[in-house]
Amino acid sequence: MTTTAHAPAPAAAGPRDRDAASPARRRAGRRRGGAAAVLMAPFFVLLTLVFLIPVGTAVWLSFFSDDQPGLGFGPERTVFVGLRSYAAVLTDPTFLSGIGTVALYCVLYIPLMVIGSLALALLLDSGVVRLRATAQLGLFLPHAVPGIIAALIWLYLYTPGISPVIEALGKADLTVDFLGLHTTLPSIVNIALWSNLGYNMVVFYAALQAVPREVLEAAVVDGAGPVRTALRVKAPLVRSSIVMVAMFTLIWALQLFTEPMLLHQSSQMINTRFSPSMYIYDAAFSRNNYSLAAAASVILLIITIAVSYGVTRWTNRVEAAEEGTR
């Protein structure tokens, strides 16, 4: 007959044991909280310096304006004007026209940027292109050129009489006015594409390199060709990168400034209030109306946040719907 010895059950922790363990848990929690605070401190410092303080200053300036009593002969003083500057901005046809211009610019620029950079990344990832590293470097180099220099280069190429491009087209009996009524905005889009296409291509290419190779091999075994693999397998797997690139491209496009600011000296189609950012610059430094410029800046910030939030919510709903259908 065999007897089995049963190990005694562990005794439940008594009140004293729990009381002794509580200070240790609290100390561990404080250490974790302190470490998290130290790691997050640089972020909050930068957030305060580069975002919260400038935004707070702009909001404060938008509610005040400089006024000269006595038919302009009295001493200048700062007075509270409330929402008067916001009303002036929102009823200014030039500001509303700038919003429409930027909206059209986004419609042209964002799809071309996202689709073009993704297509280049898929092409490089497919292995069809030889000298892949050289091709990546050549596509990325325009992004290393400062925006002002890039705009000056293209201004030279767009200006009749000195542009070798226009001269070559003229020899072929083709007349193109790159800064005309219907070509000015596409010309600005072309500059932005030239500058940023390679950078976003690198982002997509890095995301494609993280796609599991066994997934691609399974697609090939199932009979999918290169094009179908790229469109049906690779592109859906880098959707998060597509959304990120589209979001940052949208935010950048809403702040359109450098290219039209330099081109307006050579084109009558570009005035000093061509975009909201140019409107803000003109109000602050040409008209010396800092209250109006601050109000326009706050409105542009609100539009940017609202559009970004809307795109994020729409993307999340699409992903949730697709998850529900699987």
Side-chain angles (χ1 to χ4, degrees):
M1 180 176 180
T2 304
T3 59
T4 304
H6 296 278
R16 291 184 178 180
D17 297 332
R18 287 195 295 269
D19 292 341
S22 296
R25 286 197 296 269
R26 286 196 293 269
R27 285 194 297 270
R30 284 195 295 268
R31 285 195 296 268
R32 288 193 294 269
V38 170
L39 294 174
M40 292 295 293
F43 166 77
F44 286 109
V45 170
L46 289 175
L47 177 67
T48 302
L49 292 177
V50 306
F51 183 76
L52 295 181
I53 292 178
V55 169
T57 304
V59 172
W60 183 84
L61 286 174
S62 66
F63 291 118
F64 294 88
S65 179
D66 294 331
D67 185 29
Q68 287 184 329
L71 300 177
F73 297 101
E76 187 177 88
R77 62 181 180 179
T78 301
V79 296
F80 180 78
V81 296
L83 299 176
R84 189 178 72 183
S85 297
Y86 291 94
V89 171
L90 293 175
T91 56
D92 192 336
T94 57
F95 181 80
L96 299 178
S97 175
I99 293 292
T101 300
V102 167
L104 181 58
Y105 174 78
C106 291
V107 171
L108 294 174
Y109 173 62
I110 295 176
L112 290 174
M113 172 59 70
V114 175
I115 296 174
S117 55
L118 179 60
L120 288 174
L122 290 170
L123 184 63
L124 291 175
D125 186 67
S126 66
V128 176
V129 179
R130 297 183 179 181
L131 301 175
R132 188 180 306 171
T134 304
Q136 288 178 354
L137 179 62
L139 291 169
F140 182 79
L141 276 180
H143 182 72
V145 178
I148 296 177
I149 304 301
L152 289 174
I153 293 172
W154 284 100
L155 177 60
Y156 165 72
L157 296 176
Y158 289 157
T159 303
I162 61 174
S163 171
V165 176
I166 296 179
E167 182 181 356
L169 292 174
K171 292 179 180 179
D173 294 331
L174 295 176
T175 303
V176 179
D177 183 6
F178 291 106
L179 299 177
L181 176 62
H182 301 293
T183 56
T184 298
L185 198 60
S187 297
I188 296 175
V189 170
N190 176 64
I191 299 174
L193 286 172
W194 182 81
S195 299
N196 300 309
L197 194 67
Y199 175 82
N200 292 317
M201 178 272 298
V202 171
V203 174
F204 285 136
Y205 183 76
L208 289 171
Q209 292 300 296
V211 174
R213 296 296 104 178
E214 56 269 17
V215 175
L216 303 180
E217 293 172 359
V220 173
V221 171
D222 290 340
V227 176
R228 187 175 181 182
T229 301
L231 298 179
R232 298 295 184 88
V233 180
K234 292 182 179 180
L237 290 177
V238 297
R239 179 179 300 170
S240 59
S241 297
I242 296 174
V243 173
M244 181 192 69
V245 168
M247 181 69 68
F248 282 105
T249 303
L250 172 64
I251 294 172
W252 182 88
L254 291 174
Q255 304 173 47
L256 178 65
F257 177 77
T258 304
E259 294 83 1
M261 188 65 184
L262 290 176
L263 293 179
H264 92 277
Q265 300 178 3
S266 300
S267 174
Q268 298 179 354
M269 300 296 106
I270 304 177
N271 55 39
T272 56
R273 306 177 193 178
F274 182 77
S275 68
S277 295
M278 291 182 64
Y279 180 94
I280 295 167
Y281 181 89
D282 178 73
F285 300 107
S286 297
R287 292 178 281 169
N288 295 321
N289 192 335
Y290 296 103
S291 177
L292 192 69
S297 300
V298 174
I299 291 173
L300 181 59
L301 174 64
I302 293 173
I303 292 174
T304 303
I305 294 175
V307 173
S308 302
Y309 177 76
V311 172
T312 303
R313 288 294 303 269
W314 176 76
T315 303
N316 292 337
R317 288 183 180 179
V318 170
E319 291 182 353
E322 292 183 354
E323 289 292 335
T325 57
R326 292 178 182 175

